[in-house]
Amino acid sequence: MSSLCTGLVALFFLGMGLFGLVAPRALIRPFGIELSVPEARAEVRAVYGGFGVAVSALLTWAVFSGSGDLRSGVVLTVAVSLAGMAFGRLVARAVERPSAFYPSWFYFWVEAVGAVVLVGCA
């Protein structure tokens, strides 16, 4: 069961990563950010694209590497990263008060649930 949970989170990161590499403008559009210069698109490709694909590869490695401290460490590290992202959205909610469920609250729940799932898999 833990491999399935970890694999699902890996698929999420892969999807986000590939989307970020291929269509950075479309990925970031729901947040109201315009990517009008190549440097801005390169940043989204790096942070959302490359990072997402790398995390997916690391989680996939964890699924197929068997058990052990290293596998647990990888899964826990990604879980804490997701929890940190969700926490940042809570801070944004307190400071800025986003007006709609999507994208801020939607991604808060994706990140929070992903963190909980991975902690259960660690």
Side-chain angles (χ1 to χ4, degrees):
M1 183 64 165
S2 68
S3 291
L4 176 63
C5 297
T6 304
L8 289 174
V9 176
L11 282 174
F12 164 75
F13 273 103
L14 180 62
M16 178 191 71
L18 292 176
F19 191 37
L21 289 172
V22 174
R25 285 181 175 145
L27 178 70
I28 209 78
R29 187 175 300 125
F31 297 95
I33 300 169
E34 293 295 324
L35 302 177
S36 58
V37 297
E39 293 81 6
R41 292 185 295 279
E43 184 67 11
V44 171
R45 283 187 170 103
V47 174
Y48 289 87
F51 180 77
V53 170
V55 169
S56 176
L58 191 59
L59 288 172
T60 300
W61 172 84
V63 166
F64 293 106
S65 71
S67 60
D69 291 341
L70 188 56
R71 179 196 181 282
S72 295
V74 164
V75 172
L76 186 59
T77 299
V78 176
V80 170
S81 298
L82 285 169
M85 293 164 66
F87 174 74
R89 292 186 195 280
L90 287 177
V91 170
R93 174 66 178 171
V95 173
E96 309 256 8
R97 301 254 183 226
S99 59
F101 175 77
Y102 184 83
S104 295
W105 280 116
F106 173 80
Y107 285 107
F108 164 80
W109 286 109
V110 167
E111 292 153 1
V113 168
V116 169
V117 164
L118 286 178
V119 166
C121 295

